[in-house]
Amino acid sequence: MAREFQLTDAVPWGRSEQEYRLFFALDELPAGSRILDCAAGPSSFAAERAASGRPVIAADPLYAGSAEEIWARIDGAAAAMAAGLERACERFVWDFSPTIEAHMQHRLRTARQWREDFRATGNSSRYIAGALPHLPFADGAFGVALCSHFLFLYDERLGEAFHHRAVREMLRVAGEVRLFPLLDLHGRPSEMVSPVMAALREQGYAVELRRVPYEFQKGGHTLLRIARRA
Ligand SMILES: C[S@@+](CC[C@H](N)C(=O)[O-])C[C@H]1O[C@@H](n2cnc3c(N)ncnc32)[C@H](O)[C@@H]1O
């Protein structure tokens, strides 16, 4: 694991709908697209989309716990993230949030929005307990499956075989998969990107790298989009 971020596991730490829109290029999707957010954690994406009448499904093993149990983990993650950002601040771009304090406030606001929605809806409709590489959804249940800040980021811990199985599983439940960012916890391009792309091309999928207008980890501005060939 990266020296600056002393994380033993994928931490529950979440981005907002505005961030998802930018790094997943969501504005180009047709209205009414059925979206699955994998490894969604305490992102407010699903809550914000539901509030604006565009529901999505969020899946994460975390959701097996209660809002209070999950919040305790978010609290612990916050301390580790703030300390890591202090140590590694030169590896990040500070335009979306100009300071670490502003960034932390933004993340905690996002997590509180998630908590409010999770408390109100529970874990049987919008928030589903489910872990890659075995998702509890039918084949082709979704148009698009998203996964951010899990695959590639924790590549050392997850390993290459897990990456292949996880992406294949997302492609089982959705016609298209979008992954972001493509960096590891050290801020380096993940070594898993090339083998994953090569295997998918071999299997006949259309695979595309696209620069997006979002960059928090320096160099973390590229989306990987995978789709069945038309
Ligand atoms: C850093 S959070 C990312 C949250 C959100 N996608 C975002 O970008 O804001 C990583 C999440 O991965 C989840 N996770 C851990 N193992 C998983 C697995 N096997 N399958 C799916 N999600 C997993 C964790 O519970 C955590 O909530």
Side-chain angles (χ1 to χ4, degrees):
M1 287 291 162
R3 281 181 304 279
E4 296 94 338
F5 292 89
Q6 287 161 5
L7 312 174
T8 52
D9 217 338
V11 289
W13 202 231
R15 283 89 198 154
S16 64
E17 198 266 350
Q18 184 191 5
E19 293 176 278
Y20 265 55
R21 257 188 25 239
L22 293 173
F23 57 62
F24 283 128
L26 295 181
D27 289 346
E28 70 186 23
L29 293 179
S33 296
R34 289 162 302 133
I35 299 178
L36 170 67
D37 183 12
C38 289
S43 162
S44 59
F45 175 61
E48 292 185 71
R49 284 267 159 155
S52 62
R54 295 168 297 163
V56 307
I57 299 291
D60 196 298
L62 203 62
Y63 301 153
S66 68
E68 284 60 40
E69 286 163 349
I70 298 169
W71 189 261
R73 293 193 50 196
I74 294 168
D75 233 17
M81 293 306 291
L85 287 170
E86 287 283 355
R87 285 189 285 265
C89 63
E90 77 292 345
R91 285 210 277 109
F92 292 84
V93 177
W94 297 100
D95 54 3
F96 196 87
S97 296
T99 63
I100 294 178
E101 291 69 32
H103 174 81
M104 294 301 294
Q105 286 308 316
H106 171 65
R107 287 278 173 271
L108 289 171
R109 232 181 356 259
T110 295
R112 280 194 288 272
Q113 240 175 321
W114 164 81
R115 179 175 61 175
E116 196 178 317
D117 193 44
F118 186 81
R119 273 188 181 143
T121 60
N123 63 358
S124 61
S125 52
R126 183 156 34 257
Y127 298 102
I128 307 291
L132 289 166
H134 301 292
L135 296 172
F137 305 111
D139 295 0
F142 299 94
V144 185
L146 313 173
C147 185
S148 56
H149 303 96
F150 176 57
L151 294 175
F152 303 127
L153 190 61
Y154 294 95
D155 59 2
E156 284 178 6
R157 189 179 69 79
L158 298 173
E160 186 178 325
F162 181 93
H163 280 73
H164 290 297
R165 291 166 63 208
V167 176
R168 269 205 309 274
E169 177 68 351
M170 282 188 278
L171 285 163
R172 179 185 69 76
V173 302
E176 182 184 326
V177 166
R178 296 186 179 205
L179 307 174
F180 180 91
L182 310 184
L183 303 183
D184 64 18
L185 272 182
H186 305 273
R188 302 179 302 220
S190 167
E191 291 177 5
M192 308 290 158
V193 174
S194 289
V196 165
M197 287 178 65
L200 291 164
R201 285 202 172 108
E202 181 89 3
Q203 292 157 29
Y205 288 97
V207 179
E208 178 200 15
L209 291 174
R210 189 188 306 172
R211 182 147 184 164
V212 290
Y214 179 95
E215 185 177 9
F216 182 47
Q217 282 176 287
K218 280 185 185 164
H221 48 51
T222 305
L223 166 70
L224 174 56
R225 183 175 165 271
I226 305 145
R228 293 199 187 94
R229 286 193 191 281

